[in-house]
Amino acid sequence: MTKETDNAANIVESTALQAGDTAPAFSLPKNGDDTLSSATLQGKAYVLYFYPKDDTSGCTREAIDFSALKPQFDAIGVSIIGVSPDSTVKHDKFINKHDLAVELLADEEKSLSTAYNVWVQKSMYGRKYMGIERSTFLIGKDGKVAQVWRKVKVAGHAEAVLEAARLLN
């Protein structure tokens, strides 16, 4: 790692949200040509899962897994919200193509991704670039972060988040 990369990693680590922190406020466009804000969710528990791109294999699997468990999340009063830099138009196509049941926020300016410290430097085949670190945040009714999952592996993740949400309520 270079000194610059080291410093960037230290900044992300030192500012990374942790359980007990107040969840950053937001208001973003969502699928269906609407807007969703944290103010609308006040007093409710919710899951924010950040993913890199609509209609890629891992992101599709994650969205399908969360959609399949939506009735169970609904039963305990927890909303599921996906966030990516893709547009609402892409989100609508993604939802229709895979019959998804989750809401998807369009964070095209990366404001929410930056606030949650998931817009990070990544590396693939030696090339460095900025992108979303697949991460999930469970937010309690009090507006505080209850649990954080970073560098998520998709298999079994939605079930783990559901179990944590059950314990929250």
Side-chain angles (χ1 to χ4, degrees):
M1 256 198 231
T2 67
K3 187 174 182 174
E4 187 175 286
T5 308
D6 260 349
N7 289 339
N10 289 336
I11 290 168
V12 169
E13 282 300 314
S14 65
T15 59
L17 287 174
Q18 300 174 9
D21 291 346
T22 299
F26 65 88
S27 180
L28 288 172
K30 73 175 190 104
N31 58 287
D33 200 29
D34 204 354
T35 300
L36 181 67
S37 72
S38 51
T40 307
L41 297 165
Q42 194 168 8
K44 300 174 186 169
Y46 58 97
V47 171
L48 276 181
Y49 76 92
F50 292 84
Y51 65 99
K53 189 172 175 56
D54 289 346
D55 225 8
T56 56
S57 60
C59 298
T60 300
R61 178 80 264 145
E62 186 175 28
I64 289 171
D65 289 352
F66 274 117
S67 291
L69 295 176
K70 187 176 184 304
Q72 293 172 59
F73 279 98
D74 288 346
I76 58 173
V78 177
S79 299
I80 308 164
I81 305 155
V83 183
S84 87
D86 289 320
S87 69
T88 56
V89 171
K90 286 184 180 179
H91 285 339
D92 287 336
K93 288 178 184 175
F94 184 43
I95 286 169
N96 291 333
K97 181 177 180 180
H98 298 286
D99 198 26
L100 302 177
V102 296
E103 293 182 300
L104 300 177
L105 297 181
D107 189 20
E108 292 181 89
E109 302 297 319
K110 289 100 175 160
S111 58
L112 190 57
S113 302
T114 300
Y116 275 83
N117 299 304
V118 299
W119 183 249
V120 299
Q121 183 174 305
K122 299 170 91 174
S123 180
M124 182 181 291
Y125 305 118
R127 185 179 73 83
K128 294 190 183 319
Y129 63 97
M130 295 299 291
I132 296 288
E133 176 184 76
R134 190 182 307 277
S135 303
T136 302
F137 298 82
L138 176 60
I139 312 301
K141 292 177 184 179
D142 60 0
K144 297 203 180 286
V145 176
Q147 194 158 343
V148 178
W149 293 264
R150 291 197 174 269
K151 297 182 182 177
V152 166
K153 302 291 184 234
V154 173
H157 177 62
E159 292 84 357
V161 175
L162 176 61
E163 189 55 38
R166 284 185 175 133
L167 296 174
L168 182 65
N169 287 327

